[in-house]
């Protein structure tokens, strides 16, 4: 390999996301490449292809630190492998042992025959009261973000871990699955064909165990523009398009609703067009949670109470509500102004919980990753990401994880007491 040289690279925008970034751009930079110019994500300039592309310019020669780089047409001092302005801290976050066992992906049903309309579910229960044991409300990402109460619009048949013989005792639900799901599964790959067709393909027993003693949990749509969790009741089935946090603490709700957490998710998750893919392993498991405080808990309770009241009164789902909050053209709406103020308080309470008394946040309308939101300023975003990454690295080093981002670990008592 030559000691000097330059390169230019055009790829889909996923080159700077997730595993693609780890095996590609991260490896290139580790081998001595300096990124001097970048386009993180833009629409391909031709109607023949509907895709987002990224472009990278770099060199293996030495580059004076004082020479500016250009990221998305803006002069910056450094460019990270995320293809955006980099702060003073290098590296990628590690997965933290203390966060293991708290965040899950919901159940992968695989088979629309499992899904039942509410009226039909009630008819089945009226025909045989025992059917209530295997029929549950079914919450997916679309319902969470679109319905004012964040409730599921349909029900689902869930036999849990029952055997085929036990499941067959529930005549109407079992017949539905036998007629619709069984032939559908028979056309799938071998691993699916050999799985019990009357059960979910992925029933998430670890998630069920983690939330078994909770009456409420926090959930988040895994693909969304809002990147905002909601508090919902347990006793329902969560779809595989939801992230489920085995947490019911209001302080945790505040932190996960903060600009700091949302920015972390946007930065270290991935994207689908302008929507964010929230991957619990890359986002939550790496996020260094702050200690709980009374101020955080109070802010979380206020957000839950006031936001829910506005959503129900104005018949707004989570997405439509945050479209208003993030719209600079909405200036004289008292509900929107109130919720913006609540999010400012949440951010300030989160910063205080970390002990960053020297940090003064500035809020307004700022664009990041092609989306304008009510958030902290760009310098504050870079600074908070730097501090979060430093804290992540400190905790990873203290726990002996080192660079083992794929390490499987068990939940520690430290996590259990973070949000009492």
């Amino acid at each position: 390999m030559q000691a000097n040289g330059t390169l230019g690279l055009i790829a889909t925008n996923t080159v700077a996301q997730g595993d693609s970034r780890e095996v590609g751009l991260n490896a290139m930079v580790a081998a001595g490449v300096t990124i001097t110019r970048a386009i993180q994500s833009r629409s391909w300039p031709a109607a023949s292809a509907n895709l987002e592309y990224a472009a990278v310019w770099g060199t293996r020669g030495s580059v004076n630190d004082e020479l500016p780089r250009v990221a998305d047409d803006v002069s910056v001092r450094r460019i990270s492998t995320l293809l955006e302005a980099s702060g003073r801290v290098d590296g990628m976050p590690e997965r933290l042992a203390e966060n293991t066992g708290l965040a899950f992906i919901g159940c992968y049903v695989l088979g629309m025959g499992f899904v039942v309309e509410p009226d039909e579910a009630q008819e089945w229960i009226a025909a045989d009261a025992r059917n209530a044991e295997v029929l549950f409300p079914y919450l997916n990402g679309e319902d969470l973000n679109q319905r004012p109460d964040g409730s599921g619009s349909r029900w689902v048949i869930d036999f849990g871990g029952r055997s085929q013989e036990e499941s067959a005792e529930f005549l109407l639900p079992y017949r539905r699955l036998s007629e619709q799901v069984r032939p559908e599964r028979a056309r799938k790959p071998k691993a699916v064909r050999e799985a019990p067709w009357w059960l979910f393909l992925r029933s998430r027993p670890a998630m069920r165990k983690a939330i078994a003693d909770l009456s409420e949990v926090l959930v988040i749509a895994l693909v969304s523009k809002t990147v905002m969790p909601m508090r919902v009741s347990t006793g329902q089935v969560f779809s595989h398009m939801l992230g489920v946090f085995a947490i019911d603490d209001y302080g945790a709700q505040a932190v996960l609703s903060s600009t700091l957490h949302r920015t972390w998710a946007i930065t270290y998750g991935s994207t689908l067009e302008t929507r964010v893919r929230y991957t619990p392993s890359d986002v939550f498991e790496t996020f260094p949670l702050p200690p709980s405080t009374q101020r955080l808990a109070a802010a979380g309770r206020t957000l839950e109470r006031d936001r829910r009241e506005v959503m129900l009164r104005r018949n707004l789902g989570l997405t439509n509500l945050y479209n208003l909050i993030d719209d600079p053209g909405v200036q004289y709406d008292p509900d929107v102004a109130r919720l913006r103020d609540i999010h400012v308080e949440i951010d300030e309470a989160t910063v205080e919980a970390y002990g960053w008394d020297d940090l003064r946040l500035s809020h307004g309308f700022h664009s990041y990753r092609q989306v304008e939101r009510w958030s902290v300023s760009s310098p504050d975003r870079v600074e908070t990401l730097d501090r979060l990454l430093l804290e992540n690295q400190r905790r990873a080093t203290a726990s002996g994880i080192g660079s083992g981002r794929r390490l499987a670990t068990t939940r520690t008592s430290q996590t259990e007491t973070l949000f009492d």
Side-chain angles (χ1 to χ4, degrees):
M1 182 180 295
Q2 293 183 351
N4 298 301
T6 60
L7 65 87
L9 172 66
I10 296 178
T12 61
N13 64 353
T14 57
V15 73
Q17 300 172 6
D19 292 341
S20 297
R21 182 191 64 245
E22 289 189 29
V23 301
L25 295 178
N26 282 6
M28 289 166 54
V29 170
V33 171
T34 298
I35 300 173
T36 56
R37 184 181 174 189
I39 295 173
Q40 188 180 69
S41 184
R42 285 185 190 168
S43 298
W44 187 254
S48 58
N50 181 21
L51 59 83
E52 296 287 314
Y53 78 94
V56 184
W57 292 258
T59 179
R60 288 202 81 221
S62 60
V63 180
N64 192 307
D65 288 340
E66 300 304 316
L67 291 177
R69 281 72 154 164
V70 178
D72 285 324
D73 300 325
V74 176
S75 180
V76 299
R77 296 198 63 180
R78 303 172 68 196
I79 300 175
S80 73
T81 57
L82 296 164
L83 302 186
E84 62 190 27
S86 174
R88 64 186 184 279
V89 185
D90 291 320
M92 298 299 295
E94 307 280 354
R95 293 176 188 169
L96 301 174
E98 64 201 48
N99 287 10
T100 302
L102 292 176
F104 306 87
I105 293 176
C107 300
Y108 187 23
V109 173
L110 191 57
M112 285 305 298
F114 283 98
V115 181
V116 181
E117 294 300 320
D119 290 345
E120 187 171 21
Q122 294 306 320
E123 290 174 3
W124 288 1
I125 293 171
D128 185 347
R130 292 191 311 154
N131 287 333
E133 299 176 24
V134 297
L135 292 170
F136 300 90
Y138 182 49
L139 183 61
N140 60 25
E142 182 178 359
D143 287 338
L144 182 75
N145 278 345
Q146 300 300 331
R147 291 168 65 87
D149 60 354
S151 66
S153 60
R154 295 173 296 179
W155 285 52
V156 71
I157 302 166
D158 181 11
F159 285 131
R162 289 178 175 86
S163 67
Q164 186 171 4
E165 292 74 19
E166 292 170 326
S167 301
E169 295 176 4
F170 301 88
L171 299 181
L172 292 172
Y174 183 83
R175 182 187 304 163
R176 165 68 63 82
L177 300 185
S178 180
E179 292 175 351
Q180 297 188 20
V181 175
R182 189 174 191 175
E184 179 183 351
R185 292 272 189 97
R187 297 190 296 269
K188 299 293 183 180
K190 181 179 179 182
V192 177
R193 294 197 307 269
E194 293 181 348
W197 54 264
W198 63 95
L199 303 178
F200 296 165
L201 186 65
R202 300 284 183 269
S203 61
R204 310 301 188 198
M207 177 193 72
R208 294 174 188 246
K209 181 179 179 180
I211 68 175
D213 296 329
L214 301 176
S215 61
E216 295 179 322
V217 291
L218 300 174
V219 298
I220 191 168
L222 294 182
V223 178
S224 75
K225 180 183 173 183
T226 59
V227 199
M228 195 61 57
M230 280 193 70
R231 177 178 294 267
V232 300
S233 298
T234 54
Q236 57 185 323
V237 172
F238 304 114
S239 113
H240 68 286
M241 293 307 295
L242 290 176
V244 182
F245 304 100
I247 300 171
D248 63 356
D249 180 85
Y250 285 96
Q253 184 170 354
V255 172
L256 296 178
S257 303
S258 69
T259 298
L260 282 74
H261 177 258
R262 182 163 68 169
T263 302
W264 186 267
I266 296 169
T267 302
Y268 296 114
S270 59
T271 59
L272 180 63
E273 298 169 341
T274 58
R275 292 172 292 164
V276 178
R277 288 184 183 271
Y278 190 102
T279 47
S281 58
D282 289 333
V283 178
F284 179 82
E285 290 187 18
T286 64
F287 187 77
L289 294 164
S292 180
T293 68
Q294 292 184 352
R295 185 179 180 185
L296 275 174
R301 287 183 181 276
T302 300
L303 175 68
E304 173 64 21
R305 180 193 64 224
D306 290 17
R307 184 175 65 187
R308 190 171 294 275
E309 189 277 329
V310 170
M311 291 172 67
L312 293 173
R313 172 166 48 84
R314 297 179 60 163
N315 195 33
L316 291 171
L318 199 65
T319 296
N320 288 335
L321 176 63
Y322 278 88
N323 283 343
L324 295 177
I325 293 172
D326 293 331
D327 185 352
V330 179
Q331 294 292 340
Y332 304 105
D333 186 318
D335 291 331
V336 171
R338 170 61 177 156
L339 288 168
R340 287 172 183 162
D341 288 343
I342 291 173
H343 276 285
V344 170
E345 168 61 16
I346 284 174
D347 289 348
E348 292 178 350
T350 302
V351 165
E352 179 183 82
Y354 282 111
W356 300 338
D357 298 334
D358 61 314
L359 186 57
R360 299 291 180 267
L361 300 177
S362 173
H363 286 77
F365 298 100
H366 303 282
S367 292
Y368 181 46
R369 302 285 182 95
Q370 305 180 77
V371 177
E372 189 169 37
R373 294 182 173 92
W374 173 257
S375 63
V376 299
S377 66
S378 295
D380 288 343
R381 170 176 55 78
V382 174
E383 179 63 24
T384 54
L385 284 173
D386 267 358
R387 295 188 185 207
L388 288 170
L389 183 55
L390 278 171
E391 180 62 15
N392 168 276
Q393 293 173 349
R394 183 190 69 78
R395 295 187 192 186
T397 299
S399 65
I401 291 178
S403 60
R405 295 190 69 228
R406 305 298 179 191
L407 219 59
T409 52
T410 57
R411 180 177 175 180
T412 65
S413 58
Q414 180 183 1
T415 304
E416 295 171 0
T417 58
L418 276 173
F419 296 108
D420 290 336

